[in-house]
């Protein structure tokens, strides 16, 4: 896992070359909505893309992590099917429904049944290298989704923004800070807070804490959490000392959200001293998200070491898939 995390910059470089070599040929040029279908690590890239394109893409972008898709999906919907293995049962079921509803299909995969389907129907697709845990293939997922959207003329050139993020990952020098954070949150349940623009990263941190560190966590966004969850930070101190609030922030967050975050930290500190802030580095949103993604991956690796856990094994997921297979 350490090698895979350390290789994230190289993966992004490889993903860029794959994207530039992709030949996306739209069958439908009047795309009015976008739907990403995927699960786990294969769906996560969509969270990054959704946040990044929100201010520029006029077609709404939705994500489905399920067996079924909304009724509004139709011929004017671009459905991006993301399954690293190509055999994710929920994704394949949702794809079948999208095909029946006449959607425009494009796919990202390393093989499996999904590759067979898209080749059979001549759907646009990008083949990525396989063989690693899906959660370690985020670079392929993010870049190829952007490539597909660009191929459909739904977004402008993204490579300049992406380059900033790649350089920041390649020159990442905050491993010691990540290790220190892992040490202080060991034995706690992290509560990860951010603005909506950074929610994708909060999701990533939560997922990586679970899969890599075998450590439960939760996340929420401001200002929404100020209208509900904030009230929950009044439990007895012996309870609150088992929770650690982590705030992910960027200077470009809405000014009122930044004020709310500051006041929220002050309120939480009345219940526990376990509060910290991780500021984003970089100028653009995409670069900032890639920096914080990489930062969180390192934290999850070091937290796995603190928890004496193997960051690669996912025994409970493997067991679940085995049991589901018996019921087919």
């Amino acid at each position: 896992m350490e090698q895979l995390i350390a290789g994230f910059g190289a993966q992004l470089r490889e993903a860029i070359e794959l994207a530039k070599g992709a030949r996306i040929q739209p069958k439908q040029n009047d795309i009015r909505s976008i739907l990403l279908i995927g699960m786990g690590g294969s769906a996560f890239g969509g969270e990054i893309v959704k946040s990044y394109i929100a201010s520029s893409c006029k077609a709404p972008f939705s994500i489905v992590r399920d067996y079924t898709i909304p009724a509004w999906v139709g011929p004017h919907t671009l459905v991006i099917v993301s399954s690293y293995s190509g055999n994710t049962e929920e994704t394949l079921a949702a794809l079948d429904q999208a095909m029946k509803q006449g959607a425009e299909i494009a796919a990202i995969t390393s093989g499996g049944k999904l590759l067979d389907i898209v080749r059979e129907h001549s759907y646009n697709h990008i083949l990525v290298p396989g063989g690693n845990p899906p959660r370690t293939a985020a670079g392929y997922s993010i870049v190829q989704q952007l490539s597909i959207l660009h191929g459909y003329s739904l977004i402008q050139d993204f490579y300049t923004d992406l380059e900033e993020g790649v350089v920041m990952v390649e020159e990442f020098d905050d491993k010691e800070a990540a290790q220190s954070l892992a040490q202080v949150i060991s034995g706690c349940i992290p509560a990860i807070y951010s603005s909506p623009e950074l929610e994708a990263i909060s999701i990533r941190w939560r997922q990586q804490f679970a899969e890599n560190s075998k450590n439960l966590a939760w996340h929420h966004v401001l200002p929404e959490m100020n209208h509900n969850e904030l009230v929950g930070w009044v439990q007895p101190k012996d309870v609150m000392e088992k929770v650690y609030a982590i705030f992910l922030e960027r200077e470009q967050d809405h000014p009122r959200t930044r004020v709310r975050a500051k006041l929220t930290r002050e309120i939480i500190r009345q219940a526990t001293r376990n509060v910290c802030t991780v500021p984003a580095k970089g100028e653009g949103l995409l670069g900032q998200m890639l920096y914080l993604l990489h930062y969180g991956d390192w934290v999850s690796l070091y937290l796995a070491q603190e928890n004496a856990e193997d960051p690669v094994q996912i025994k409970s997921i493997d067991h679940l898939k085995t049991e589901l297979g018996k019921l087919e």
Side-chain angles (χ1 to χ4, degrees):
M1 183 59 67
E2 182 173 2
Q3 292 177 346
L4 291 168
I5 293 173
F8 184 50
Q11 180 186 123
L12 287 167
R13 291 289 182 197
E14 183 179 8
I16 290 171
E17 293 306 310
L18 289 172
K20 290 182 175 180
R23 296 292 178 264
I24 304 298
Q25 298 178 323
K27 298 178 182 178
Q28 169 61 273
N29 292 311
D30 184 17
I31 298 298
R32 304 172 190 174
S33 59
I34 306 161
L35 179 70
L36 174 81
I37 55 178
M39 302 297 299
S42 295
F44 163 72
E47 297 289 352
I48 293 282
V49 171
K50 180 180 179 180
S51 184
Y52 171 62
I53 71 172
S55 63
S56 60
C57 181
K58 294 183 178 180
F61 188 109
S62 301
I63 301 173
V64 162
R65 298 173 171 89
D66 200 0
Y67 293 92
T68 61
I69 62 174
W72 53 257
V73 173
H76 296 286
T77 305
L78 171 61
V79 173
I80 302 176
V81 188
S82 178
S83 173
Y84 185 63
S85 69
N87 295 314
T88 310
E89 66 169 64
E90 301 96 323
T91 304
L92 293 175
L95 168 60
D96 183 65
Q97 188 176 344
M99 293 168 63
K100 290 176 181 177
Q101 292 177 208
E104 175 84 357
I105 307 292
I108 303 164
T109 186
S110 68
K113 296 178 183 178
L114 177 55
L115 182 59
D116 293 338
I117 293 170
V118 296
R119 283 177 171 171
E120 178 184 352
H121 294 272
S122 299
Y123 292 140
N124 285 310
H125 64 278
I126 302 178
L127 191 64
V128 299
N132 292 315
R135 62 190 182 278
T136 67
Y140 297 128
S141 176
I142 295 165
V143 177
Q144 304 323 316
Q145 287 181 46
L146 291 171
S147 175
I148 289 171
L149 293 177
H150 185 257
Y152 277 85
S153 301
L154 293 166
I155 62 172
Q156 300 299 314
D157 179 84
F158 58 90
Y159 288 107
T160 300
D161 291 343
L162 179 60
E163 178 65 21
E164 180 196 15
V166 176
V167 171
M168 293 182 67
V169 169
E170 291 175 333
E171 299 179 355
F172 186 81
D173 60 358
D174 287 317
K175 290 171 64 175
E176 288 187 7
Q179 188 170 26
S180 295
L181 179 56
Q183 290 170 347
V184 298
I185 66 177
S186 178
C188 296
I189 297 177
I192 308 153
Y193 296 126
S194 72
S195 65
E197 290 80 9
L198 289 179
E199 184 176 13
I201 304 305
S202 295
I203 292 171
R204 174 69 171 190
W205 281 46
R206 171 173 58 79
Q207 291 177 340
Q208 294 293 78
F209 285 157
E211 286 197 85
N212 286 349
S213 316
K214 315 303 181 285
N215 204 117
L216 285 177
W218 82 79
H219 85 276
H220 210 324
V221 295
L222 285 90
E224 173 62 19
M225 72 83 68
N226 285 169
H227 295 266
N228 38 69
E229 184 166 310
L230 180 61
V231 183
W233 286 90
V234 295
Q235 294 297 310
K237 282 192 176 293
D238 61 335
V239 175
M240 291 293 91
E241 290 300 323
K242 294 297 183 181
V243 182
Y244 208 107
I246 302 172
F247 286 77
L248 307 178
E249 290 191 339
R250 57 195 296 262
E251 290 186 4
Q252 297 87 345
D253 284 340
H254 192 284
R256 293 295 290 177
T257 299
R258 288 179 62 83
V259 171
R260 284 176 174 272
K262 179 177 181 295
L263 293 173
T264 299
R265 286 192 291 272
E266 292 175 0
I267 292 170
I268 292 176
R269 284 194 177 99
Q270 295 176 17
T272 176
R273 64 181 182 276
N274 295 341
V275 184
C276 74
T277 301
V278 180
K281 292 184 179 180
E283 299 297 324
L285 177 59
L286 185 57
Q288 291 169 341
M289 287 192 291
L290 290 175
Y291 164 79
L292 286 174
L293 184 162
H294 198 49
Y295 193 116
D297 283 2
W298 282 112
V299 176
S300 74
L301 175 69
Y302 294 131
L303 184 56
Q305 295 172 355
E306 292 292 326
N307 293 344
E309 294 285 355
D310 177 358
V312 175
Q313 70 87 4
I314 48 171
K315 294 178 182 178
S316 55
I317 295 177
D318 292 338
H319 173 73
L320 176 64
K321 289 182 177 180
T322 299
E323 293 303 307
L324 285 170
K326 296 176 182 178
L327 302 175
E328 292 180 352

